[in-house]
Amino acid sequence: FEVVANRHHSTTGMTSFILSAKAGTPRLLVDSISMILLAVDENGDGVKKNLWGQRYNPQQFFTPGQAERYAVKNGALVSGGPVAVPSSFRPTGATLTNVAGKGIRALAFIDEHQRLRISVSGEETWRSSSAMGDKGQVAEIEIQFGPTTRTLFFKMEPFPLAEDLDGDGIEELVVPQNQTEGKLAVVFRGPAGYRVQSLNSGFEGTITAFGAIPGQDPPALIAAVVRYKGMLRNVGETQLIMTVPE
């Protein structure tokens, strides 16, 4: 397995990298990549073996609606062609899922207006009416305008978790709704289309990341919960919480 990491600085820009291991020692496969990377599971076999990238824009951070497939060869990224994505697609806060039905790979992502969108083959099929995500990381860009410097901020949304919670072979989407601490949204497809069920997780803090351990019914969920403190609420401590199937 490899680790795909997006690394950004307000003045130097995007310098993402891919980390692997050889003989138990971490090593860089590719370093200082000027794009936003996203590992995805295109085949639906449970492993994110495919790599997508979106061009980094030094003035707008994202390049909405653009994405390409990439492969790692001889320490460099080689393009495998464009990916059909909606015009509002941003690779932060995105995942592939079969929530649209067995054998269908759908792209789910949180847009700049904090709405969860689901698209198939680049065409949008559903958009949430309630806000999702929020309280994630914020990227800062400094742009020089003559003698003055202007600072712009762009939100990074938490990644939706695509997991089969009820064992029917169709994944549900679990998304933090951090407008209220500890609130979660579960998006699933029913006979009448997509539905959203909001629930209180009981977590006391901001949910910044989700994971799952499959093989159990229901699967165990792992959440990273940040408890912010201080007047500006820009510092805090992270707690990892795992649910146990009952």
Side-chain angles (χ1 to χ4, degrees):
F1 291 99
E2 292 79 33
V3 175
V4 174
N6 291 310
R7 177 176 53 188
H8 179 265
H9 191 273
S10 59
T11 55
T12 58
M14 185 68 66
T15 55
S16 302
F17 62 91
I18 300 176
L19 184 69
S20 183
K22 185 176 183 179
T25 302
R27 67 185 183 99
L28 288 170
L29 289 182
V30 187
D31 193 14
S32 300
I33 307 167
S34 184
M35 68 176 69
I36 309 169
L37 301 177
L38 175 66
V40 295
D41 176 15
E42 289 189 345
N43 300 323
D45 54 11
V47 181
K48 296 180 178 180
K49 296 187 294 185
N50 309 102
L51 182 65
W52 291 6
Q54 184 178 89
R55 291 192 301 268
Y56 169 69
N57 189 317
Q59 295 186 332
Q60 298 178 345
F61 196 88
F62 298 102
T63 305
Q66 184 273 330
E68 286 190 49
R69 291 182 180 88
Y70 287 92
V72 179
K73 292 185 179 180
N74 300 322
L77 292 186
V78 178
S79 175
V83 181
V85 295
S87 60
S88 56
F89 170 69
R90 306 196 313 175
T92 60
T95 189
L96 288 182
T97 173
N98 71 349
V99 69
K102 291 184 179 180
I104 302 175
R105 299 304 286 166
L107 172 63
F109 65 97
I110 302 174
D111 67 11
E112 61 180 325
H113 304 294
Q114 296 180 331
R115 296 298 186 266
L116 180 69
R117 300 192 183 204
I118 298 176
S119 67
V120 178
S121 300
E123 296 294 329
E124 183 176 306
T125 58
W126 182 81
R127 183 189 311 180
S128 68
S129 58
S130 56
M132 305 279 183
D134 198 15
K135 303 291 180 67
Q137 299 293 323
V138 176
E140 177 183 342
I141 293 179
E142 296 179 357
I143 302 177
Q144 196 72 27
F145 288 92
T148 62
T149 300
R150 182 182 177 187
T151 303
L152 303 178
F153 299 92
F154 300 87
K155 282 189 175 182
M156 308 293 105
E157 299 293 350
F159 288 90
L161 173 64
E163 189 67 30
D164 181 9
L165 301 178
D166 53 11
D168 63 352
I170 302 296
E171 294 171 332
E172 287 75 36
L173 295 169
V174 184
V175 191
Q177 286 186 295
N178 287 321
Q179 293 77 16
T180 302
E181 285 192 351
K183 190 175 181 181
L184 295 176
V186 179
V187 180
F188 59 96
R189 185 178 177 87
Y194 293 104
R195 294 185 59 189
V196 179
Q197 180 178 353
S198 295
L199 54 92
N200 185 359
S201 67
F203 300 155
E204 297 179 357
T206 299
I207 303 171
T208 58
F210 261 125
I213 302 177
Q216 299 173 321
D217 188 16
L221 301 181
I222 301 176
V225 181
V226 179
R227 296 183 178 181
Y228 290 103
K229 55 188 177 181
M231 182 178 297
L232 300 178
R233 296 183 64 81
N234 58 355
V235 295
E237 59 181 16
T238 301
Q239 183 180 21
L240 297 180
I241 301 176
M242 185 176 75
T243 64
V244 179
E246 296 182 356

